[in-house]
Amino acid sequence: MQMPAPSADILARRARITRRLREVLPGDAVIDDPVETRAYECDGLTAYRCPPLAAVLPSTTEEVAAVLRVCHEERVPVVPRGAGTSLAGGALPTADSVILGVARLTQVLETDYDNRFIRVQTGRTNLSVTGAVEADGFFYAPDPSSQLACAIAGNIGMNSGGAHCLKYGVTTNNLLGVTLVQMDGTVLELGGAHMDAGGYDLLGLICGSEGQLGVVTEATLRILPKPEGARPALIGFGSNEVAGACVSDIIKAGILPVAIEFMDRPCIIATENFAKAGYPDCEALLIVEVEGSEAEIDGQLGLIRQIAARHDPVEFRESQSEDESRKIWLGRKSAFGAMGVMGDYICLDGTIPVSELPFVLRRIGELSAQFGLKVANVFHAGDGNMHPLILFDANKPGDLETCEAMGAEILKLCVEVGGCLTGEHGVGIEKRDLMNVQFAPGDLEAQMRVKDVFDPGWLLNPAKVFPLEASESRRAG
Amino acid sequence: MQMPAPSADILARRARITRRLREVLPGDAVIDDPVETRAYECDGLTAYRCPPLAAVLPSTTEEVAAVLRVCHEERVPVVPRGAGTSLAGGALPTADSVILGVARLTQVLETDYDNRFIRVQTGRTNLSVTGAVEADGFFYAPDPSSQLACAIAGNIGMNSGGAHCLKYGVTTNNLLGVTLVQMDGTVLELGGAHMDAGGYDLLGLICGSEGQLGVVTEATLRILPKPEGARPALIGFGSNEVAGACVSDIIKAGILPVAIEFMDRPCIIATENFAKAGYPDCEALLIVEVEGSEAEIDGQLGLIRQIAARHDPVEFRESQSEDESRKIWLGRKSAFGAMGVMGDYICLDGTIPVSELPFVLRRIGELSAQFGLKVANVFHAGDGNMHPLILFDANKPGDLETCEAMGAEILKLCVEVGGCLTGEHGVGIEKRDLMNVQFAPGDLEAQMRVKDVFDPGWLLNPAKVFPLEASESRRAG
């Protein structure tokens, strides 16, 4: 897309801003060459792109504070960016914004096994947090699919989950404290290595606020001892509805597997072609993983087998070896890649009460027929966090729009049955205009008033989370 | 204490306020007779007393909203009150305030076992939430010692825990949604029966905000299936430090009992005299309870026995029967009552990293000698939530002040070792002036700005949580 050339005023302002940023950062930490800023023009929601005014890569909390002070004085919007893996456009720049990347904030600051925490800079990737403690028998529980790449900063911004959050909770349940730099450059320490302190729970408020209330530069994370063992079972079913009913029954029975993952036929076929995981040929399958001692695993899988038997499973295959377990998970973790090979898709993140799974899966099938677009379902069924992938052809005019319209219908359905628009991906720009479906005007107003408090100029990660009209009028006002 | 007679102006204003309250509530729901308002002059922190202007007892969210609209228009402070069991003065009135009691908000609105939640009005007591679902095999996990009396509204206000929160978390981990009436009478629905939704986590912010951001009238609570079985073990030790080190080792080993309760010698003796629980004669004892199937219980207690053996236990007694288990817990649950028989006390609530238990217990012993006041320790050791009871004589001039000074030293010690002032009792008026020890001025300012958003006139539960000077200047400003 050809952009109009910027005016002389705008060019002078840009030059001043980058000069001021260079005064507070090392030279290679400020990027304003238009070729290089292109690397920051989008995140995982690649349908939307816009290069920023500049990108900065600070290495310390002090450098982050210095950047924000400059941007605050210059009234430049700032878009914090983790690893850029957001599927909701959470790190999408605006043309007048500075991208604040945390890629150089990768240090481990402290590990404390007695009190089970690790303190890290937030540019560190999710998986490398576990990497820092696994030799000593510990791990960090939240495990988004993108965990090899995604940064803790983004996990905190989006309150990320993962396959194992059914047992271990999402980021907010594993976050003990943060260092937060506010838009004016002042630094707050929220929480710490102890139980919830007195006063208001600002830590909980920051987690999931999509980088709109401040920039999180350091985090104290709960780490857990690795379980004695873990074993998945693959359960194949004759239909989506029956598989959904089985999930609901497992949850209702009070068993707590670490993960209940769901894949429907289109997803099974795509994954099988791609990763050759040896999945059974069926309409829907569940991967149910349990943890503990051998005796505990046997006990829990025995109960799950009994429940599954009431739903006429096509197959119940308990993993017999480490190698088989790895293969089962490899299939699941390859599912998104496998779908990508098949074509373009958007990935939804609606979350519903588990008992509504059979109904919602049936309605998604009906919507698929109505809109004429294929849907594949692969998701964290145990906590009702659905990830329908709607396939479309980016080269076919109007197909993306049809796909987005169908996605909106599915998300509205999630809200109608008592669920919500997003379980772990965040709102970003993708779902901002659907926020009116989820929240009454007064509820959104209360959230926006909190934004006013932390960022009165609405400079941090602008045009996200709230309906565009609402946030623009707020920013202007 | 003799109060000066109120002026004619004040009397006229009071009359107008109670008249307006009577216009929006049934006649028996407004209490302004000075004899009757005395029932609301204090909570569990009985050293502080002040009768309110009036007390109201609404039965619905609409009535609560109507009360708040009147008080908002008249600029009358409102003190929300659960069951009045706060140990921190969280429900202490001011003379110009209206007590808003939730005692009539006791209905169960919905139970949903498939999705594991119950929706209740918040005046319902903690134990009667479990009572509503236990016949169907479920329970509500947070279990404050006062659970027979305390209301869900107060649990939410203080983010209450209990003996079993080591495994199940505190209130915030079990709270899915609330209906919140703001000071101006508008009603917000926060959260719901699903995972964390998009937008900011206002639900998390409300939980633990001590009734200062709004009045919670309805709550959706997570319920859990009752475990197959549970079994406590009593472990006696030769010193506090050794018992503390054993707790630290159990946590470090990655075992997760449902409860690790700690009692020191003064508390053991008082409890034994009072409840005759058959506790061993030792310097310190732990009650460690584990849950699950018989095999799981045997496995976990086996590991705990091995760890305890490294600390030369005086006795390791595993409960052999339901009856013995009940007796063990009866002792622990009687501890506060038993101490009350011995004299006056204040109960602290400082929380520390578990690895600091041996050091902090030793320092408390030294402070006890220095101040000349006896201390008994009984607390949730597994999560480092200490409840030192400092004994004093209310009839001895100056003894309360010495006691409070010693309490402040202990709480400062908790903060110094990386802990916090309060784990589950809240700040109330008791610890408001110590908030400066826990929080930097900028941290407190951020909290107070959030208060400004929800309650610009600072009318809700005034003079609590923040240092008095700070909240008074805020209110005036």
Side-chain angles (χ1 to χ4, degrees), chain B residues 149-465:
Chain B
C150 66
I152 292 296
N155 291 185
I156 293 170
M158 296 311 192
N159 190 19
S160 303
H164 289 73
C165 69
L166 177 57
K167 177 163 180 181
Y168 294 113
V170 294
T171 300
T172 195
N173 306 113
N174 294 275
L175 179 68
L176 298 172
V178 297
T179 300
L180 179 88
V181 188
Q182 298 187 100
M183 188 62 213
D184 63 3
T186 56
V187 177
L188 299 184
E189 296 292 340
L190 306 177
H194 49 69
M195 279 178 60
D196 190 26
Y200 304 154
D201 182 16
L202 299 188
L203 177 63
L205 179 67
I206 296 306
C207 190
S209 62
E210 307 203 10
Q212 291 202 316
L213 304 182
V215 177
V216 175
T217 56
E218 298 177 12
T220 304
L221 306 171
R222 188 190 306 282
I223 51 175
L224 296 169
K226 272 195 283 197
E228 212 173 310
R231 195 190 307 157
L234 270 181
I235 323 177
F237 294 93
S239 77
N240 282 350
E241 287 85 343
V242 173
C246 183
V247 172
S248 179
D249 282 358
I250 291 171
I251 296 297
K252 196 170 158 180
I255 306 166
L256 194 59
V258 273
I260 306 182
E261 296 291 298
F262 184 113
M263 296 170 84
D264 69 359
R265 184 164 187 83
C267 184
I268 297 167
I269 291 173
T271 300
E272 205 43 35
N273 288 340
F274 183 80
K276 315 256 181 287
Y279 285 170
D281 183 15
C282 56
E283 290 300 312
L285 69 77
L286 301 178
I287 302 170
V288 183
E289 180 160 275
V290 300
E291 275 184 0
S293 65
E294 284 294 300
E296 286 165 355
I297 290 174
D298 288 342
Q300 290 184 70
L301 282 180
L303 288 172
I304 290 164
R305 187 187 287 268
Q306 280 172 31
I307 292 167
R310 299 205 297 266
H311 296 276
D312 290 324
V314 176
E315 183 168 351
F316 187 102
R317 190 196 304 171
E318 205 172 305
S319 167
Q320 301 297 324
S321 66
E322 281 290 312
D323 195 53
E324 189 174 354
S325 301
R326 201 163 25 241
K327 217 164 152 190
I328 288 172
W329 276 111
L330 179 69
R332 167 62 183 88
K333 293 198 170 172
S334 310
F336 280 51
M339 301 302 299
V341 170
M342 292 182 62
D344 307 302
Y345 65 78
I346 64 169
C347 171
L348 305 179
D349 181 43
T351 298
I352 59 171
V354 174
S355 65
E356 300 290 343
L357 276 175
F359 169 71
V360 171
L361 286 167
R362 194 174 64 240
R363 280 290 296 142
I364 290 176
E366 290 165 6
L367 288 166
S368 170
Q370 182 187 327
F371 282 85
L373 291 176
K374 280 194 185 154
V375 178
N377 283 292
V378 47
F379 60 94
H380 316 311
D383 44 27
N385 187 192
M386 307 190 75
H387 292 315
L389 302 177
I390 311 177
L391 295 159
F392 71 102
D393 181 350
N395 293 320
K396 193 170 150 190
D399 227 29
L400 172 63
E401 290 70 21
T402 307
C403 182
E404 289 183 333
M406 178 174 159
E409 286 307 308
I410 293 175
L411 293 179
K412 285 179 197 167
L413 170 65
C414 291
V415 174
E416 272 165 31
V417 300
C420 58
L421 299 173
T422 172
E424 56 183 11
H425 295 175
V427 177
I429 59 153
E430 188 200 22
K431 290 177 283 285
R432 64 188 179 193
D433 291 319
L434 287 170
M435 288 287 275
N436 286 322
V437 176
Q438 177 93 59
F439 294 102
D443 299 342
L444 281 178
E445 174 64 23
Q447 295 184 33
M448 290 193 291
R449 280 185 288 150
V450 169
K451 167 79 168 162
D452 288 340
V453 160
F454 284 86
D455 178 22
W458 283 62
L459 292 170
L460 268 168
N461 215 6
K464 313 267 170 80
V465 180

Side-chain angles (χ1 to χ4, degrees), chain A residues 91-217:
Chain A
L92 180 75
T94 50
D96 61 345
S97 69
V98 168
I99 283 276
L100 193 163
V102 293
R104 295 188 182 173
L105 290 155
T106 58
Q107 286 184 59
V108 172
L109 304 167
E110 186 181 1
T111 53
D112 182 333
Y113 296 123
D114 286 6
N115 299 301
R116 288 198 202 157
F117 70 80
I118 183 170
R119 198 159 59 84
V120 298
Q121 287 186 311
T122 56
R124 200 165 176 90
T125 64
N126 175 291
L127 199 59
S128 75
V129 172
T130 289
V133 297
E134 67 184 343
D136 296 300
F138 285 81
F139 74 108
Y140 175 61
D143 60 341
S145 296
S146 57
Q147 67 182 142
L148 192 63
C150 66
I152 292 297
N155 291 185
I156 293 170
M158 295 312 191
N159 191 17
S160 304
H164 289 72
C165 69
L166 178 58
K167 177 163 179 182
Y168 295 112
V170 293
T171 300
T172 196
N173 306 113
N174 294 275
L175 180 67
L176 298 172
V178 296
T179 300
L180 180 88
V181 188
Q182 298 186 100
M183 188 63 213
D184 63 3
T186 55
V187 177
L188 298 183
E189 297 292 340
L190 306 177
H194 49 69
M195 279 178 61
D196 190 27
Y200 303 154
D201 183 16
L202 299 188
L203 177 63
L205 179 67
I206 295 305
C207 191
S209 63
E210 306 203 10
Q212 292 201 316
L213 303 182
V215 177
V216 175
T217 56

Side-chain angles (χ1 to χ4, degrees), chain A residues 106-450:
Chain A
T106 58
Q107 286 184 59
V108 172
L109 304 167
E110 186 181 1
T111 53
D112 182 333
Y113 296 123
D114 286 6
N115 299 301
R116 288 198 202 157
F117 70 80
I118 183 170
R119 198 159 59 84
V120 298
Q121 287 186 311
T122 56
R124 200 165 176 90
T125 64
N126 175 291
L127 199 59
S128 75
V129 172
T130 289
V133 297
E134 67 184 343
D136 296 300
F138 285 81
F139 74 108
Y140 175 61
D143 60 341
S145 296
S146 57
Q147 67 182 142
L148 192 63
C150 66
I152 292 297
N155 291 185
I156 293 170
M158 295 312 191
N159 191 17
S160 304
H164 289 72
C165 69
L166 178 58
K167 177 163 179 182
Y168 295 112
V170 293
T171 300
T172 196
N173 306 113
N174 294 275
L175 180 67
L176 298 172
V178 296
T179 300
L180 180 88
V181 188
Q182 298 186 100
M183 188 63 213
D184 63 3
T186 55
V187 177
L188 298 183
E189 297 292 340
L190 306 177
H194 49 69
M195 279 178 61
D196 190 27
Y200 303 154
D201 183 16
L202 299 188
L203 177 63
L205 179 67
I206 295 305
C207 191
S209 63
E210 306 203 10
Q212 292 201 316
L213 303 182
V215 177
V216 175
T217 56
E218 298 176 12
T220 304
L221 306 170
R222 188 189 307 283
I223 50 175
L224 297 170
K226 271 196 283 200
E228 214 174 310
R231 196 189 305 157
L234 270 180
I235 323 177
F237 293 94
S239 76
N240 283 350
E241 286 85 343
V242 173
C246 183
V247 172
S248 179
D249 282 358
I250 291 171
I251 296 297
K252 195 170 160 181
I255 307 166
L256 194 59
V258 273
I260 305 182
E261 297 291 299
F262 184 112
M263 296 170 84
D264 69 359
R265 185 165 186 83
C267 185
I268 297 167
I269 291 173
T271 300
E272 205 44 35
N273 288 340
F274 183 80
K276 316 259 182 283
Y279 285 170
D281 182 15
C282 57
E283 290 300 313
L285 70 77
L286 300 179
I287 303 170
V288 183
E289 181 160 275
V290 300
E291 275 183 0
S293 65
E294 283 295 301
E296 285 164 356
I297 289 173
D298 288 342
Q300 290 184 70
L301 282 180
L303 288 171
I304 291 165
R305 186 186 287 270
Q306 281 172 32
I307 292 168
R310 299 205 298 266
H311 296 277
D312 289 324
V314 177
E315 183 168 350
F316 188 102
R317 190 195 305 171
E318 207 173 305
S319 167
Q320 301 297 324
S321 66
E322 282 288 312
D323 195 54
E324 189 174 354
S325 300
R326 202 164 24 240
K327 217 164 152 190
I328 288 172
W329 276 110
L330 178 70
R332 167 64 183 87
K333 292 197 171 172
S334 310
F336 279 52
M339 301 302 298
V341 171
M342 291 182 63
D344 307 300
Y345 65 78
I346 62 169
C347 171
L348 306 179
D349 181 42
T351 298
I352 59 171
V354 175
S355 65
E356 299 290 344
L357 276 174
F359 169 70
V360 171
L361 286 167
R362 195 173 65 241
R363 279 290 296 141
I364 290 176
E366 291 166 6
L367 289 166
S368 169
Q370 182 187 326
F371 281 85
L373 291 176
K374 281 195 184 152
V375 178
N377 284 292
V378 47
F379 60 95
H380 316 311
D383 45 28
N385 186 193
M386 306 190 75
H387 293 314
L389 302 178
I390 311 177
L391 295 161
F392 71 101
D393 181 350
N395 294 318
K396 193 171 150 190
D399 227 31
L400 172 63
E401 290 70 22
T402 309
C403 181
E404 288 183 333
M406 178 173 160
E409 285 309 307
I410 293 176
L411 293 179
K412 284 179 198 167
L413 170 65
C414 290
V415 174
E416 272 165 31
V417 300
C420 59
L421 299 173
T422 173
E424 55 184 11
H425 295 175
V427 178
I429 60 153
E430 187 200 24
K431 292 178 282 284
R432 64 188 178 193
D433 291 320
L434 287 170
M435 288 287 275
N436 287 322
V437 176
Q438 177 93 60
F439 294 103
D443 299 342
L444 281 179
E445 174 64 24
Q447 294 184 31
M448 291 192 291
R449 280 185 287 149
V450 169

